Structure formats: structure tokens, C-alpha cells
Amino acid sequence: MPKSALIIEDDADIAESVRYNLESEGFAAVVAATGEQGLALALDKGNPPVLIILDLMLPGMNGMELCRRLRRETQTRRIPIIMLTAKTSEADRIAGLDLGADDYIAKPFSVRELMARVRAVLRRADDHTEERYEDGRLTIDFADVRATCAGVNVKLTNKEFLLLSTLARKRGRVVTRQQLLDQVWGYSYYGDARTLDVHIRRLRQKLDACGDCIETVVGVGYRFIGSASGSGTAIDSTP
């Protein structure tokens, strides 16, 4: 059975073009013209989407608010979201990505580029098979989007948790600053790369006693080494 992709776009021509190309890639594409309709389809347990293409300028509930709602819901918080919009300022891109979008593409756009980005975000999603990381002091529950240090819950923003989980899934390996920007902010991000260093600093501060889990590799990027260099383990609950 084809995987379902949800297109939330009020421009009929654009929606039809995206639908046609997604179906050419083997998806069963569904179109919603309003934010409210899109939310209802995204939460349809009988036909949950594996991907959401989201316009920002929607009648009723706008795309930013819809993205925020989708990231709050347990059922949809891990579904890849690609924002598709005419709003192209750096502030708009940062706002969308910080809300939890996986990528951001501006109109007018190349359908071939959009399909390449669809494949990229789905590859990243497929890589996320582990359910949890723990090393005796730090626990990261990838499925439940939660981290604890010495049994105390660590309150992280969506972007901070995505940054932590991206590093933890590649533990022991150096992840370059550009790779982190690509995977956490989306490769359409063209802002100041120093935002990554700011997020890392805040993440370490929030992790408190477990902040030593992230090692700086000067001039290259960062490496996840576990709290107190513990020999952490990943737990996969998949049968």
C-alpha cells in the first residue's frame, strides 16, 4: 500500500503539481486547502501521512500555527514537515525551522528540488530507528522527545532536542558544523552559522551535570561522547 503524503496548500495549481509529482514517486497524496482541514487529515489515524508539505499563507489557521500544533501532538510530532512558501526572509526561515519544520523551500521552486528534499528528509527519518539512549546518568527518549539527567527531566525546545538527538544517534563520531546545520535547521538555512554554537552552549547549560556529553572538536564540529564518558547504550524497542 502506498505511503500517504499530505499537501496543505491553498493554491490549486501548486497543490496539483506537487500531488502529481509525489504520486509519481509512489506516494498516495492527499490535498488540504486550509489549515484546519490539514490538521484533521494529519491526525487521521486511519491514514496517517509519512510526510507533510505545508504552505505558510493559508486561509484560517496559518502554516506557522499549524506547524506548532503538529509538533505538540504525539501522533504528528515526528512526521517530516517541509514548508513551502513565498515568505523568503531569513527571519521567516528561522521561525519556521525553530517551530520544528524539517526543511523550508521558497516559491517559486523547482519540483525536482522539492522531490530531492522530500527524499532527503525521509532518509533522515528512516535513520531514526533507535528508541532510547542511556548511559546511567543521561537518558534520551527519542520516541517520547524527552531527556533526563540523573532522573531529572530536562526542559528543551524542539530545536535543542533535535540537536541533542542528532548528535546522540551518531555518538562517538564527529559531526561537522555544516552537517548539523543541514540536519537540524535544514539545508535551506543560510543564516549565521554561529546560531549553532549558541544552541550548543544553551543545550549544555540545560543539561547541567550531563552537559559534558557533547565534546567540541575545534575547527570541525561536535561529538557526542555520553555523560561522564559513560559507555552508553541504545535501545531499540522494535520487535
Side-chain angles (χ1 to χ4, degrees), residues 10-32:
D10 65 328
D11 185 309
D13 291 336
I14 293 176
E16 176 58 23
S17 174
V18 175
R19 183 198 64 77
Y20 174 81
N21 282 276
L22 283 171
E23 290 185 346
S24 297
E25 294 275 338
F27 292 93
V30 180
V31 176

Side-chain angles (χ1 to χ4, degrees), residues 46-74:
N47 187 34
V50 298
L51 170 74
I52 297 174
I53 306 293
L54 175 62
D55 183 28
L56 290 190
M57 304 297 288
L58 294 167
M61 184 191 304
N62 65 44
M64 287 292 192
E65 176 59 26
L66 178 52
C67 185
R68 186 181 292 110
R69 290 281 300 274
L70 292 171
R71 287 304 181 232
R72 287 176 184 166
E73 297 287 341
T74 301

Side-chain angles (χ1 to χ4, degrees), residues 135 137-138 149 204 207-216 223-230:
D135 59 22
R137 186 160 65 164
L138 174 65
C149 179
R204 284 170 169 158
L207 288 170
D208 195 26
C210 296
D212 61 355
C213 67
I214 301 172
E215 178 183 68
T216 299
R223 179 192 288 117
F224 184 89
I225 58 174
S227 183
S229 301

Side-chain angles (χ1 to χ4, degrees), residues 182-194:
D182 290 349
Q183 294 182 46
V184 177
W185 278 263
Y187 70 81
S188 58
Y189 178 72
Y190 298 113
D192 190 342
R194 287 178 296 182

Side-chain angles (χ1 to χ4, degrees), residues 29-147:
V30 180
V31 176
T34 68
E36 290 79 4
Q37 184 184 10
L39 180 62
L41 289 170
L43 295 173
D44 180 3
K45 293 183 178 179
N47 187 34
V50 298
L51 170 74
I52 297 174
I53 306 293
L54 175 62
D55 183 28
L56 290 190
M57 304 297 288
L58 294 167
M61 184 191 304
N62 65 44
M64 287 292 192
E65 176 59 26
L66 178 52
C67 185
R68 186 181 292 110
R69 290 281 300 274
L70 292 171
R71 287 304 181 232
R72 287 176 184 166
E73 297 287 341
T74 301
Q75 183 179 333
T76 56
R77 65 188 176 193
R78 299 178 68 194
I79 297 174
I81 297 174
I82 299 178
M83 285 186 170
L84 190 66
T85 179
K87 300 179 74 173
T88 59
S89 73
E90 179 179 322
D92 289 325
R93 290 198 303 269
I94 293 172
L97 295 168
D98 279 343
L99 281 175
D102 295 85
D103 208 344
Y104 191 114
I105 187 168
K107 300 175 183 177
F109 60 92
S110 158
V111 174
R112 289 181 63 188
E113 180 184 1
L114 174 60
M115 292 303 107
R117 295 193 184 201
V118 165
R119 290 189 291 270
V121 298
L122 290 176
R123 279 196 302 271
R124 293 201 295 267
D126 287 342
D127 286 342
H128 294 177
T129 56
E130 296 169 356
E131 292 295 326
R132 188 173 61 186
Y133 165 88
E134 58 184 357
D135 59 22
R137 186 160 65 164
L138 174 65
T139 299
I140 306 169
D141 192 322
F142 301 121
D144 199 36
V145 192
R146 186 166 57 92

